[in-house]
Amino acid sequence: MESFKVLVVCTLLILFYFIPICNTLNSIDQGQSLKENETLVSEDGAFEAGFFNFGDSNRQYFGIWYKDISPRTIVWVANRDTPIENSSGVLNVTDGGNLVILAGTGPPIWSSNSTSRTAKKPFLQLLDTASLVVKDGRNSPQNLILWQSFDIPGDTFLPGMKLRANMASGNYTSLICWRDTQDPAMGLYAYRIDPHGYPQMVITKGGTLIYRVGSWNGNMLSGVPSESLYKTFNSSFELNDQEVSYGYEPFNKSIVSRYMVTTSGQIQRFILDQTKTWQLFFAGPVDQCDNYAFCGSNSNCDVSNSPQCDCLQGFAPKSQEKWSAQNWSGGCVRNVNLSCDSRDGFLKFSGMKIPDTSKSWYNRSMSLEDCKSFCLKNCSCTACANLDVRHSGSGCLLWFNDIVDVRKQTSGGQDLYIRVAASELDNNKGLSKKQLAGILVGCSLFIIVMVILGIVMHRKNKLKKSNMNQQISWKNHSIDKEKEDIDIPLYDLSTIAIATSHFSINKKLGEGGFGPVYKGTLTNGQEIAVKRLSHSSGQGTNEFINEVKLIANLQHRNLVKLLGCCIHGDERLLIYEFMPNRSLDCFIFDQAKRSLLHWDQRFQIIRGIARGLLYLHQDSRLRIIHRDLKTSNILLDQNMNSKISDFGLARTFGGDQVVGKTKRIVGTYGYISPEYAARGNFSVKSDVFSFGVIVLETISGHKNREYFDDNDLNLLGHAWRLWCEERPLELIDESVADSVAVAEPEVLRCIHIGLLCVQERPEDRPDMSAIVLMLNGEKPLARPREPAFYPHQFCSSTGNCAVNSANEISITLLDAR
Ligand SMILES: *[C@@H]1O[C@H](CO)[C@@H](O)[C@H](O)[C@H]1NC(C)=O
Ligand SMILES: *[C@@H]1O[C@H](CO)[C@@H](O)[C@H](O)[C@H]1NC(C)=O
Ligand SMILES: *[C@@H]1O[C@H](CO)[C@@H](O)[C@H](O)[C@H]1NC(C)=O
Ligand SMILES: *[C@@H]1O[C@H](CO)[C@@H](O)[C@H](O)[C@H]1NC(C)=O
Ligand SMILES: *[C@@H]1O[C@H](CO)[C@@H](O)[C@H](O)[C@H]1NC(C)=O
Ligand SMILES: *[C@@H]1O[C@H](CO)[C@@H](O)[C@H](O)[C@H]1NC(C)=O
Ligand SMILES: *[C@@H]1O[C@H](CO)[C@@H](O)[C@H](O)[C@H]1NC(C)=O
Ligand SMILES: *[C@@H]1O[C@H](CO)[C@@H](O)[C@H](O)[C@H]1NC(C)=O
Ligand SMILES: *[C@@H]1O[C@H](CO)[C@@H](O)[C@H](O)[C@H]1NC(C)=O
Ligand SMILES: *[C@@H]1O[C@H](CO)[C@@H](O)[C@H](O)[C@H]1NC(C)=O
Ligand SMILES: *[C@@H]1O[C@H](CO)[C@@H](O)[C@H](O)[C@H]1NC(C)=O
């Protein structure tokens, strides 16, 4: 079999070499030309340039693509706006070194405009970097470059390429997206450097700024704080009086990667994996807070808050009415005008994406102190920050007038200093009601805890250690909050006991994977959910607090927020925000309530889970594998936004590595992947499996454990069977059928994604970043293979009809828990 394959490949290769359907060349000289079926190949064989068509369309283009990657990935197109409507295209290198594309007689349909009077022996070559270059003098030592395609990028940014902007003329090069995946004509979105003020990378739509990828702060671009990105790629941001440029290269030269602006205005970075498939490495914008000026001016956007927009401290909504109606466009204005002298001061905000720098001013050598005093000298100066955050900071960046497009970063943000009047520096004055309430709650908690601590200490010093180490603090809008690390409040057991009426059975919300959950109401009226952890992990107090802190630092709007914890002897309690709409299973599996969830809401719920899970897998500082994802762990807030709960607990109680093997199976029958059930192997892909089950359950309103037809098929099998029989829409819950009618493609996409997630082999399942793109319709979907736990009888392409009874395996192993 294997040798047969080799034989076929060899024969094909020989055919390609000896039959002149595809002539490949290394370079062409002046006066020579390339036409259909003739290509230019880079010396290392990685790239190929020539004429091509999309599918069976007539439109012919000249472009560059990866030679050995299928499907063909085009990285550059010459005549992107002027396709040839037949196959008559010819590329010529003229005597002057100009590159022209001709179609029949008449003027060229495209020209590089690189005619040089001095060119003696110009020739065209495709470099290993994928740059198409016209050089002069094949034998001359300099190999003078007359023209290169890297200077007029298409939609793809390749290693070694530079985006540039000229400080004097304002000229710039930009990546411009395609109009459509099959049409390389210039679309609306562009990715470029904005050279005004302190230069920043931006995405524009029809010329209007929509997303700031940000400026270079020494470590990273301020809008893309992804650590793994800068560990993998060496970015170069060079700035002098004439020009600013940005480029990147992977540190490991064997990594093949590309970076592009998509037809919908996203930037996406890909890395080629061993199977020669592109894996998404990064995509932005990431969330709503990335939308330019989402919250209006002088405000802060924070995805972990609800609502996400809040005025910066010292500012209040310009129109309270609009702000309350969640129309943020009006932004915020100062509570108190600046006095415009040295009495003004600065409030420090940590972990921020710095504001729009297009109207900023900078100086590389000033210290932060000089920077602040310089700012105070100009009445319109409103904020400052270090230019370079490395080595405890250097340089000075100043902003004037309104502060626009500030957000709280989930990681890697920097310090920003906002200028306010002296009276605003005093914390107690001019605080909004919300802040005041926060502080009051904080203070009363603090006092209660201190009093109780005092009593405990007074009674005896028996409790030897621990208490002194336990930090007691509370979350408020503290301006000097220690970067990123949130200290979690420790609640006293009596407080929680009172809040839950002594863990009354009437207050019990349910039984989660790690113990019962109770509803509680604190004395200030705040509603909470209390999880009483049943099996002690045998951890010490400090160890437990550290774990809980890690969980508390995972903040995303699709994750349930951990408010604090309580430790008392062996008792360990986690206090969460309360979710008024309970969990997803209470809706989709409930005869009465299922019709309340329309398709749009179900789709939003699925997308929310996907985003939350992506954050856990990849965007948070820790890589968290949930391991017990199920519909009862998907909670719904008052607006029916989905939030994942119980994350991080498997890590705390299971003992964990990123891809691990464990004897203790944490998971639930029906949601658990075959490799985890059978061998205890868990990975992000076992979560993807559970996610797929949730998607199919949400669409169908049936539990995976139910059986269908007379075939003993579970939901996965049922869905697969309908898919194979080309009637997938029959899977849909009848009670939402009406709302589905208008969204059929979306529903089909979801079913398709669900099936991709529940495939038998973990490596066949997409990862969450791919799933998020697929849900947005921004990534093509592969063909699913048959799902796990599926009796191989239908659609069998392999002829293997052995019945897989893995269902039972998961039961027995679960008993081992
Ligand atoms: C283009 O190249 C072909 C083949 O070398 C030649 O016949 C033709 O005259 C050239 N056209 C121009 C405009 O240079
Ligand atoms: C290019 O190859 C295709 C398929 O082999 C063939 O039909 C076509 O005529 C060729 N074109 C030229 C200009 O040789
Ligand atoms: C091919 O299309 C071009 C315009 O795209 C036209 O000028 C040329 O005459 C056409 N040639 C043939 C053979 O139809
Ligand atoms: C060459 O010049 C023409 C006419 O000025 C212009 O339309 C075209 O875009 C230029 N080509 C390139 C590759 O810049
Ligand atoms: C920059 O702009 C000027 C005038 O607008 C133009 O003459 C010049 O060719 C441009 N330079 C580049 C490198 O595009
Ligand atoms: C990173 O890029 C810069 C400039 O392009 C280069 O000087 C430096 O050596 C590179 N660093 C590594 C580790 O490759
Ligand atoms: C570079 O990447 C290749 C393939 O991913 C890997 O085999 C190699 O070990 C890496 N080299 C270094 C220095 O990390
Ligand atoms: C928000 O308010 C602005 C005026 O401040 C108005 O133009 C806009 O239409 C409002 N947006 C919505 C969604 O109501
Ligand atoms: C603050 O300044 C603005 C304009 O600079 C002015 O219209 C407003 O009256 C001032 N407010 C106070 C309270 O002085
Ligand atoms: C930057 O600051 C340094 C030190 O304060 C000063 O010497 C230099 O002139 C400043 N540069 C500019 C362009 O203002
Ligand atoms: C304050 O800074 C702005 C913006 O750089 C500038 O236009 C203005 O002239 C400065 N005012 C003073 C008094 O220096």
Side-chain angles (χ1 to χ4, degrees):
M1 187 67 186
E2 210 52 43
S3 54
F4 175 70
K5 267 190 207 158
V6 172
L7 195 69
V8 170
V9 170
C10 287
T11 319
L12 282 176
L13 279 178
I14 291 166
L15 277 177
F16 272 108
Y17 267 102
F18 291 100
I19 295 181
I21 33 171
C22 209
N23 282 321
T24 61
L25 302 164
N26 283 321
S27 67
I28 59 171
D29 290 322
Q30 61 179 341
Q32 291 184 323
S33 62
L34 278 183
K35 55 182 189 301
E36 191 184 26
N37 300 341
E38 295 173 342
T39 60
L40 212 54
V41 174
S42 63
E43 202 168 321
D44 66 359
F47 291 99
E48 187 167 27
F51 284 100
F52 70 94
N53 299 70
F54 287 99
D56 41 16
S57 91
N58 280 332
R59 292 170 293 125
Q60 194 189 29
Y61 297 93
F62 186 86
I64 303 172
W65 56 87
Y66 293 88
K67 189 167 186 305
D68 290 330
I69 296 175
S70 136
R72 182 152 62 186
T73 310
I74 311 275
V75 296
W76 186 77
V77 178
N79 55 324
R80 62 187 296 186
D81 285 308
T82 51
I84 303 157
E85 300 296 341
N86 48 51
S87 296
S88 65
V90 179
L91 178 86
N92 270 30
V93 185
T94 69
D95 291 348
N98 197 19
L99 210 57
V100 291
I101 295 176
L102 304 156
T105 49
I109 62 145
W110 182 86
S111 163
S112 67
N113 304 331
S114 54
T115 308
S116 158
R117 265 193 236 117
T118 55
K120 292 194 183 67
K121 273 186 74 95
F123 68 100
L124 177 70
Q125 192 181 8
L126 181 60
L127 302 185
D128 292 347
T129 55
S131 190
L132 196 63
V133 297
V134 179
K135 292 182 185 173
D136 192 15
R138 194 180 285 279
N139 298 318
S140 79
Q142 299 91 347
N143 260 354
L144 189 67
I145 290 180
L146 300 174
W147 176 86
Q148 55 183 340
S149 64
F150 267 17
D151 287 341
I152 45 167
D155 70 337
T156 305
F157 196 21
L158 292 167
M161 210 174 210
K162 288 274 166 76
L163 285 180
R164 299 172 194 279
N166 189 296
M167 305 300 254
S169 68
N171 290 3
Y172 52 80
T173 51
S174 50
L175 300 181
I176 297 175
C177 75
W178 289 12
R179 196 166 290 166
D180 182 273
T181 48
Q182 302 281 303
D183 180 2
M186 289 189 193
L188 278 179
Y189 299 95
Y191 179 53
R192 63 179 178 91
I193 302 179
D194 173 6
H196 299 100
Y198 186 57
Q200 56 185 351
M201 310 293 304
V202 294
I203 298 265
T204 59
K205 179 183 186 181
T208 308
L209 176 52
I210 57 161
Y211 169 38
R212 291 188 312 118
V213 179
S215 37
W216 189 252
N217 70 13
N219 281 336
M220 50 179 64
L221 290 169
S222 56
V224 182
S226 154
E227 267 180 42
S228 56
L229 193 67
Y230 304 98
K231 273 191 200 136
T232 314
F233 297 102
N234 182 4
S235 306
S236 75
F237 193 86
E238 281 157 28
L239 174 60
N240 57 39
D241 292 345
Q242 284 86 46
E243 193 193 63
V244 51
S245 69
Y246 175 71
Y248 77 98
E249 255 169 327
F251 285 112
N252 183 340
K253 295 286 182 273
S254 59
I255 291 181
V256 177
S257 72
R258 70 194 166 91
Y259 187 178
M260 65 181 295
V261 50
T262 67
T263 54
S264 58
Q266 267 206 330
I267 47 167
Q268 294 183 350
R269 236 181 229 267
F270 295 91
I271 287 186
L272 198 68
D273 68 11
Q274 290 97 327
T275 65
K276 297 214 167 175
T277 311
W278 292 109
Q279 293 298 339
L280 187 69
F281 187 77
F282 171 80
V286 172
D287 51 37
Q288 281 188 317
C289 287
D290 275 346
N291 293 338
Y292 180 69
F294 183 71
C295 297
S297 45
N298 306 314
S299 55
N300 177 25
C301 193
D302 184 345
V303 283
S304 63
N305 283 346
S306 177
Q308 301 174 32
C309 293
D310 205 353
C311 290
L312 286 167
Q313 193 178 346
F315 294 78
K318 189 165 182 187
S319 154
Q320 185 63 53
E321 196 185 333
K322 282 198 178 130
W323 196 261
S324 309
Q326 309 222 336
N327 181 342
W328 320 114
S329 62
C332 305
V333 293
R334 283 185 188 281
N335 294 328
V336 182
N337 283 350
L338 294 174
S339 59
C340 279
D341 54 32
S342 56
R343 279 177 299 165
D344 294 337
F346 292 92
L347 290 175
K348 179 181 174 185
F349 294 77
S350 295
M352 310 305 283
K353 173 182 182 179
I354 55 171
D356 184 359
T357 53
S358 61
K359 294 189 184 77
S360 67
W361 177 94
Y362 68 95
N363 178 318
R364 283 176 191 284
S365 50
M366 275 183 175
S367 71
L368 189 59
E369 284 318 303
D370 294 345
C371 187
K372 284 180 177 172
S373 48
F374 195 71
C375 181
L376 290 178
K377 284 184 192 136
N378 183 327
C379 193
S380 51
C381 179
T382 46
C384 67
N386 270 136
L387 196 62
D388 188 333
V389 300
R390 290 173 300 175
H391 321 300
S392 67
S394 62
C396 173
L397 191 48
L398 298 181
W399 286 268
F400 303 93
N401 305 315
D402 282 338
I403 296 156
V404 183
D405 201 32
V406 173
R407 70 168 293 174
K408 175 87 181 164
Q409 294 292 27
T410 41
S411 69
Q414 67 191 77
D415 293 343
L416 174 68
Y417 299 85
I418 306 278
R419 180 177 180 182
V420 294
S423 59
E424 293 291 315
L425 288 170
D426 188 345
N427 256 339
N428 292 327
K429 282 187 195 157
L431 288 179
S432 68
K433 276 183 199 150
K434 197 169 153 192
Q435 288 164 331
L436 213 55
I439 285 177
L440 277 178
V441 171
C443 285
S444 34
L445 266 176
F446 182 76
I447 290 167
I448 292 168
V449 173
M450 285 313 273
V451 165
I452 290 163
L453 258 184
I455 294 169
V456 171
M457 300 290 254
H458 180 76
R459 274 195 191 154
K460 233 165 218 180
N461 290 340
K462 245 195 253 166
L463 300 171
K464 278 177 281 177
K465 33 178 181 167
S466 69
N467 274 350
M468 298 306 288
N469 310 343
Q470 294 174 11
Q471 265 177 299
I472 297 154
S473 62
W474 61 90
K475 195 184 169 209
N476 63 4
H477 287 69
S478 138
I479 41 166
D480 261 337
K481 193 161 68 187
E482 181 55 26
K483 199 168 143 197
E484 292 167 50
D485 274 334
I486 297 161
D487 275 337
I488 48 143
L490 293 173
Y491 289 83
D492 189 80
L493 184 60
S494 59
T495 309
I496 302 303
I498 292 167
T500 57
S501 315
H502 298 276
F503 302 101
S504 146
I505 188 82
N506 299 331
K507 296 277 184 170
K508 193 163 158 182
L509 291 170
E511 186 84 28
F514 300 90
V517 184
Y518 299 86
K519 182 180 175 182
T521 312
L522 295 175
T523 44
N524 67 2
Q526 187 186 7
E527 295 188 313
I528 53 173
V530 178
K531 182 177 284 279
R532 193 173 196 177
L533 299 173
S534 47
H535 41 240
S536 162
S537 64
Q539 279 173 322
T541 308
N542 286 337
E543 212 181 334
F544 177 76
I545 292 181
N546 284 337
E547 280 295 339
V548 172
K549 262 194 204 170
L550 288 177
I551 298 174
N553 271 294
L554 296 169
Q555 295 203 11
H556 186 274
R557 77 193 138 112
N558 297 111
L559 299 182
V560 177
K561 196 185 252 172
L562 181 65
L563 301 174
C565 70
C566 169
I567 303 167
H568 187 95
D570 281 344
E571 189 83 71
R572 304 249 190 285
L573 303 171
L574 295 175
I575 290 94
Y576 289 99
E577 60 177 328
F578 176 70
M579 290 287 142
N581 276 318
R582 312 283 291 269
S583 51
L584 181 56
D585 57 332
C586 301
F587 281 87
I588 58 174
F589 302 139
D590 185 277
Q591 281 312 325
K593 282 177 161 181
R594 65 198 318 163
S595 59
L596 298 177
L597 271 191
H598 302 302
W599 168 252
D600 279 353
Q601 283 168 314
R602 293 190 192 210
F603 186 53
Q604 282 319 315
I605 286 168
I606 291 172
R607 284 171 39 141
I609 304 167
R611 284 191 295 252
L613 202 51
L614 173 62
Y615 173 81
L616 289 177
H617 284 180
Q618 160 169 342
D619 293 344
S620 63
R621 282 188 298 166
L622 306 163
R623 180 175 240 200
I624 298 283
I625 297 168
H626 190 295
R627 292 166 62 183
D628 195 17
L629 211 55
K630 52 186 168 184
T631 49
S632 59
N633 268 338
I634 306 301
L635 306 191
L636 301 170
D637 72 4
Q638 64 277 19
N639 300 319
M640 299 306 265
N641 293 313
S642 48
K643 297 191 180 217
I644 301 173
S645 75
D646 270 8
F647 54 87
L649 295 188
R651 177 191 146 92
T652 309
F653 293 94
D656 226 25
Q657 311 103 39
V658 169
V659 178
K661 214 170 152 84
T662 180
K663 287 211 179 90
R664 180 187 228 146
I665 305 277
V666 180
T668 303
Y669 178 89
Y671 295 92
I672 192 169
S673 67
E675 72 277 8
Y676 188 23
R679 297 184 297 280
N681 287 351
F682 62 88
S683 68
V684 289
K685 293 298 181 71
S686 37
D687 275 358
V688 167
F689 183 92
S690 313
F691 172 76
V693 175
I694 293 176
V695 168
L696 295 173
E697 289 188 337
T698 306
I699 294 169
S700 67
H702 290 290
K703 292 183 180 159
N704 188 26
R705 301 175 56 173
E706 286 173 38
Y707 287 100
F708 294 84
D709 307 332
D710 299 326
N711 294 301
D712 280 358
L713 289 179
N714 63 6
L715 175 64
L716 305 189
H718 178 60
W720 174 244
R721 185 177 175 185
L722 292 174
W723 178 263
C724 292
E725 292 173 357
E726 296 186 343
R727 42 192 191 110
L729 290 173
E730 288 176 29
L731 185 68
I732 295 159
D733 187 347
E734 316 83 69
S735 54
V736 294
D738 288 349
S739 57
V740 158
V742 291
E744 240 180 63
E746 213 169 76
V747 182
L748 279 175
R749 194 155 15 108
C750 283
I751 295 175
H752 194 159
I753 293 168
L755 286 170
L756 287 173
C757 293
V758 297
Q759 293 176 102
E760 174 97 40
R761 286 151 34 106
E763 56 271 33
D764 289 341
R765 300 174 206 145
D767 59 18
M768 289 315 299
S769 57
I771 291 167
V772 168
L773 290 175
M774 289 172 182
L775 285 169
N776 292 343
E778 285 164 354
K779 193 177 165 78
L781 305 182
R783 265 178 56 147
R785 293 168 203 248
E786 71 189 8
F789 304 129
Y790 183 77
H792 299 272
Q793 297 169 14
F794 301 99
C795 300
S796 175
S797 51
T798 55
N800 175 0
C801 282
V803 173
N804 184 340
S805 61
N807 270 334
E808 285 158 37
I809 297 177
S810 73
I811 304 169
T812 44
L813 263 158
L814 272 171
D815 290 339
R817 176 157 78 152

